[in-house]
Amino acid sequence: MMTSPRHLATCLLLAIASAVAGCATQIVPIQQTFRQGDFRAAAEDIRGYARKHAGGSPQTVLAHLEHGSMARMVGNFRESDAALARAEARMFRLDRSPGISATERVSALASTPDRITYEGFFYDRQFAAAYRAINAMALGQVEDARQHFVRADRWQTLAIAQNRQRAQQLQEEQELARRRGGFDRSLGDARLEAQLNERYGDLAQFEAYADFANPYVDMLRAVYLMGVAEEAADYDVARNLLRRVAGMAPDNPYVLEDLDLADALAQGEADKPDLVYVFFETGLAPFRRQTRISVPVFLVTDRVQIVPIAVPYLVFDDRYVDRLYAQAGGERRDTALLASVDRIVAAEFYAQLPGLKTRMIAAAAFKVGVQFGMNQALSRSDPLIRVLAMLGGAIWATATNEADLRTWSTLPKQVQYARLPAPASGELLVTIGASQLVVPVEPEGISLVVVRSVRGETAPMVVSTPLGIEPWIFESSLTQ
């Protein structure tokens, strides 16, 4: 029995629709719930989302990172640690595998970008390990934090190596894109360059910290080592870390004091001091939104075709508490900027722009090429088939024209810190906006206090840990 043209056209349309049908990531609404201050609802939702992707999917890494971050905010430190451990294990396996090839990235143009595995950014790895160290201390497992800090340093070393590989990966992607023709003309088109400068030009101001280092992670580890040190080697490592931090945060008045302290400890010229360190994670990191850029395509003829391509851009969130005040005895100190996570995220985004530009051109050329080839192949077919094929092609082009909006968006906007003498009363008064909280600390030795504030109107998460003595646990998660 012969199949009618109408039936063939219908099957063609259904096949195209089926080919492009995918599930856009559902994590963005959960992130938005968190950003709006409903931390417990977000933590519950992300738990289910992470469980759904635990078996391995393109979303697995981000699902576990956000699960760890949100569980931490509501005081579920053990659950947070387990989630971050799964994220680290997955990133480790991805780093040991051949990685996402240029061919895979280009072939993904036929679908949505969330079909490409989220491998994690440099800062994802560093924050994951640092948060596991904080979780360990919140659970009273102070010595376990040492290995997490060591791993954070290894992630940083890996970041340096991977950054050097970007040029080779970009070259491979560009060579694949050139095979479709017209790539170099699009790449050098002044109209495209003008749009990119308008959308992304301001990101050039966000220079990466030295070798994509994270001053927060280095500073945390330095304080930890000074607090738990039993031999000079720990003090020496702390001193080296603080030298690097001093270069990354030259305007922070506390860093040089700590560098002098670490130097004296390393040389045996000082006894371990009685100090409280308060680290203040405030606000929220940039998130991604979608816009469109018109890409000129010179694929089939010399006549240019303009194709709108969806691309991500960063949105900076300026709703945050700009400082914390800590008071102990007669001393009152305000926190000073240690690390701008805005800068960390934006610098890595900006470093990846050449690859984004290449994939934009490749995506535009691919869409034009597919539709042109389909029209050519069906040029002598039944008019109805041609119409439905064109309609199916348009549906496919629209459905796959999505930007990759995946990012660990519940990280803080900034990290600040202050240091002050340990109070004999064992009580530290913390002021965040109009709110005050009494936090217990040790009168002797070094105590580490971590405060996480998302908005001024939402209650903070607070962890206080004594270093170098039998640990006790204090955590306050007074969320809604």
Side-chain angles (χ1 to χ4, degrees):
M1 179 177 178
M2 295 186 63
T3 305
S4 69
R6 186 184 299 273
H7 181 68
L8 285 173
T10 303
C11 289
L12 177 62
L13 185 60
L14 290 174
I16 293 173
S18 175
V20 303
C23 58
T25 179
Q26 299 174 341
I27 201 169
V28 173
I30 303 174
Q31 292 170 324
Q32 290 174 340
T33 298
F34 185 93
R35 300 183 81 89
Q36 292 164 1
D38 195 348
F39 304 136
R40 294 199 180 278
E44 183 64 31
D45 291 344
I46 197 65
R47 183 184 296 117
Y49 182 87
R51 188 181 300 117
K52 177 182 176 182
H53 293 278
S57 81
Q59 324 309 332
T60 297
V61 169
L62 184 58
H64 290 321
L65 289 174
E66 289 289 25
H67 184 194
S69 183
M70 295 181 190
R72 171 180 179 258
M73 187 64 201
V74 296
N76 293 337
F77 299 108
R78 201 172 300 280
E79 180 181 337
S80 171
D81 187 66
L84 293 172
R86 287 189 287 268
E88 281 199 290
R90 178 73 170 173
M91 288 187 287
F92 180 73
R93 287 194 296 271
L94 291 172
D95 288 335
R96 296 194 65 181
S97 69
I100 300 174
S101 66
T103 302
E104 182 182 351
R105 292 184 187 278
V106 172
S107 64
L109 301 175
S111 60
T112 54
D114 64 356
R115 300 289 184 93
I116 298 176
T117 299
Y118 183 94
E119 297 178 291
F121 297 103
F122 298 156
Y123 54 83
D124 288 348
R125 291 160 166 76
Q126 295 160 355
F127 268 108
Y131 281 167
R132 291 196 67 194
I134 295 172
N135 285 341
M137 289 185 281
L139 294 168
Q141 301 162 356
V142 176
E143 189 55 36
D144 291 350
R146 181 184 293 268
Q147 294 305 314
H148 298 312
F149 282 126
V150 169
R151 200 168 55 259
D153 188 66
R154 290 174 182 168
W155 284 129
Q156 186 162 286
T157 302
L158 179 65
I160 297 171
Q162 288 184 336
N163 186 54
R164 291 171 181 166
Q165 296 171 1
R166 277 179 174 162
Q168 180 181 351
Q169 179 182 311
L170 176 63
Q171 184 177 2
E172 292 173 357
E173 290 187 29
Q174 289 181 341
E175 286 302 318
L176 282 174
R178 283 190 177 94
R179 295 175 190 176
R180 302 184 184 276
F183 173 78
D184 289 319
R185 293 183 66 181
S186 297
L187 187 66
D189 191 273
R191 291 165 294 188
L192 176 59
E193 198 63 33
Q195 293 178 81
L196 291 172
N197 286 336
E198 181 179 358
R199 172 51 68 187
Y200 301 117
D202 60 334
L203 295 183
Q205 66 180 302
F206 295 102
E207 182 181 359
Y209 288 110
D211 292 325
F212 289 91
N214 187 324
Y216 179 33
V217 177
D218 282 352
M219 189 71 217
L220 268 177
R221 186 183 180 200
V223 171
Y224 171 82
L225 289 174
M226 288 192 294
V228 303
E230 296 180 353
E231 54 187 30
D234 281 338
Y235 292 129
D236 194 52
V237 173
R239 175 173 57 183
N240 291 334
L241 288 166
L242 284 163
R243 285 172 179 166
R244 185 161 63 184
V245 173
M248 294 186 285
D251 297 327
N252 189 302
Y254 303 112
V255 175
L256 291 181
E257 294 179 21
D258 284 316
L259 179 55
D260 289 342
L261 171 62
D263 188 57
L265 290 169
Q267 297 184 49
E269 298 175 353
D271 294 326
K272 186 177 297 185
D274 302 327
L275 290 173
V276 176
Y277 286 85
V278 183
F279 289 92
F280 183 41
E281 301 178 22
T282 181
L284 287 164
F287 61 96
R288 295 185 176 197
R289 279 185 179 157
Q290 178 172 291
T291 188
R292 281 179 167 75
I293 288 182
S294 298
V295 179
V297 177
F298 305 87
L299 186 63
V300 180
T301 67
D302 285 338
R303 189 175 64 182
V304 64
Q305 299 184 63
I306 304 298
V307 182
I309 294 295
V311 295
Y313 67 96
L314 292 180
V315 179
F316 298 91
D317 192 333
D318 290 328
R319 297 172 297 165
Y320 70 106
V321 180
D322 65 354
R323 72 187 59 202
L324 173 150
Y325 297 96
Q327 184 172 340
E331 297 282 347
R332 184 176 187 269
R333 304 281 175 85
D334 58 334
T335 51
L337 179 64
L338 173 65
S340 167
V341 183
D342 280 358
R343 174 179 171 179
I344 291 171
V345 173
E348 191 160 346
F349 186 96
Y350 187 71
Q352 294 185 350
L353 274 182
L356 175 62
K357 182 178 179 180
T358 295
R359 287 187 287 276
M360 285 169 48
I361 297 171
F366 182 74
K367 287 173 171 38
V368 170
V370 167
Q371 292 178 304
F372 177 81
M374 186 164 49
N375 290 339
Q376 289 290 99
L378 298 175
S379 60
R380 297 184 179 181
S381 300
D382 183 280
L384 178 60
I385 294 179
R386 292 203 305 273
V387 169
L388 290 178
M390 291 173 63
L391 178 60
I395 293 173
W396 164 78
T398 301
T400 57
N401 194 14
E402 293 184 6
D404 191 350
L405 304 182
R406 295 173 298 175
T407 183
W408 190 358
S409 71
T410 55
L411 291 172
K413 178 184 181 69
Q414 291 182 357
V415 180
Q416 307 170 10
Y417 94 103
R419 69 197 294 272
L420 64 166
S425 65
E427 292 186 342
L428 177 75
L429 180 63
V430 171
T431 303
I432 308 172
S435 302
Q436 288 188 329
L437 182 67
V438 176
V439 180
V441 294
E442 272 295 324
E444 298 180 353
I446 293 177
S447 292
L448 176 65
V449 177
V450 178
V451 180
R452 177 68 174 104
S453 168
V454 174
R455 299 271 186 257
E457 64 272 16
T458 59
M461 183 278 296
V462 183
V463 172
S464 178
T465 307
L467 302 176
I469 64 170
E470 186 67 26
W472 44 260
I473 304 169
F474 170 81
E475 61 89 6
S476 174
S477 185
L478 307 176
T479 51
Q480 296 173 341

